[in-house]
Amino acid sequence: MKQLKPEYYRYLPHFQPKDGTFFVTTRLHGSLPKEALERLREEKEQAYRDILANSKSEEERKIAVRNLHKRHFAKWDKYLDQNPNDPQWLKQPEIARIVIEALHFWDKKSYELVCYTIMPNHFHLVIDTYEYNKPLYRIMHSLKSYTAKLANKLLNRTGTFWQEESYDHVVRNGQELYNINKYILENPVKAGLINNWEEYPFSYLNPKYFE
């Protein structure tokens, strides 16, 4: 079986808010109950206050905050995976294909497509914008506007399709990229949708990330 490349290090910046390699998660509008979001927010704010009170140095604080963001995202994503409530339009193959076709359409135009997985109520995405000089917010706005219009038409509905805000994270190095790609591809397995990530029809990993 093919293995992911943990040593892949193509142009990964430590911090470049405009150009870089980004991990993005976007969810459907209304896919999380307000009480769950409020609970997560309160937990994160309390954890952040604890970090400020207990950190002994600036470097220690930065590491603790980075780890806090990772834990917060993991809880947030777990809520999405376990939420049985509507909407879950992305589990419909026709809707998932709209997103997939859009992601591939802008590949090599606005970014290099690295990895994605389409889940029932959200999708994970890694893109490299380093050579394309296009900010992430514009890329995501184009993707979400275009796919929302087509999905709403297919579903015979109107209204907001995607949640306005997305989770995004700058990938800092090759090992982190490997870990994120692995997390994305294994998400359907952890959510109980499939037994082997390679069999999931709504996932993709750029071939250059295989050995």
Side-chain angles (χ1 to χ4, degrees), residues 109-120:
K109 298 182 180 73
S110 297
Y111 52 75
E112 180 174 14
L113 185 58
V114 178
C115 183
Y116 65 73
T117 285
I118 314 296
M119 300 293 287

Side-chain angles (χ1 to χ4, degrees), residues 7-151:
E7 70 277 14
Y8 190 83
Y9 280 91
R10 179 180 178 275
Y11 302 129
L12 294 175
H14 291 288
F15 180 72
Q16 278 189 320
K18 183 177 180 181
D19 302 318
T21 302
F22 296 96
F23 170 36
V24 184
T25 298
T26 292
R27 64 185 178 93
L28 296 176
H29 180 70
S31 54
L32 283 178
K34 291 182 179 179
E35 56 270 22
L37 290 170
E38 182 64 20
R39 184 163 57 251
L40 285 170
R41 183 188 64 79
E42 291 175 353
E43 290 176 0
K44 185 178 181 180
E45 289 180 353
Q46 181 58 54
Y48 183 68
R49 287 192 292 267
D50 292 342
I51 289 171
L52 292 179
N54 299 317
S55 297
K56 297 179 180 179
S57 68
E58 181 68 14
E59 183 61 26
E60 184 179 276
R61 184 190 66 80
K62 288 180 180 179
I63 293 172
V65 169
R66 192 179 305 135
N67 291 333
L68 168 61
H69 288 322
K70 290 179 180 179
R71 292 194 304 272
H72 175 76
F73 170 76
K75 289 182 179 180
W76 181 78
D77 196 41
K78 187 176 181 180
Y79 270 114
L80 284 171
D81 289 339
Q82 295 179 346
N83 182 18
N85 300 318
D86 288 336
Q88 294 200 359
W89 297 310
L90 297 175
K91 70 180 180 181
Q92 299 182 33
E94 298 83 0
I95 305 299
R97 285 193 205 103
I98 288 174
V99 179
I100 289 170
E101 289 174 4
L103 292 174
H104 283 277
F105 176 80
W106 275 291
D107 184 27
K108 302 298 188 296
K109 298 182 180 73
S110 297
Y111 52 75
E112 180 174 14
L113 185 58
V114 178
C115 183
Y116 65 73
T117 285
I118 314 296
M119 300 293 287
N121 59 8
H122 66 289
F123 71 85
H124 300 297
L125 170 68
V126 177
I127 55 175
D128 182 353
T129 69
Y130 192 79
E131 297 178 359
Y132 297 91
N133 196 33
K134 197 166 187 178
L136 180 64
Y137 77 91
R138 289 186 179 176
I139 292 171
M140 295 309 300
H141 176 76
S142 296
L143 280 170
K144 292 166 74 172
S145 297
Y146 177 77
T147 55
K149 181 179 180 180
L150 292 184

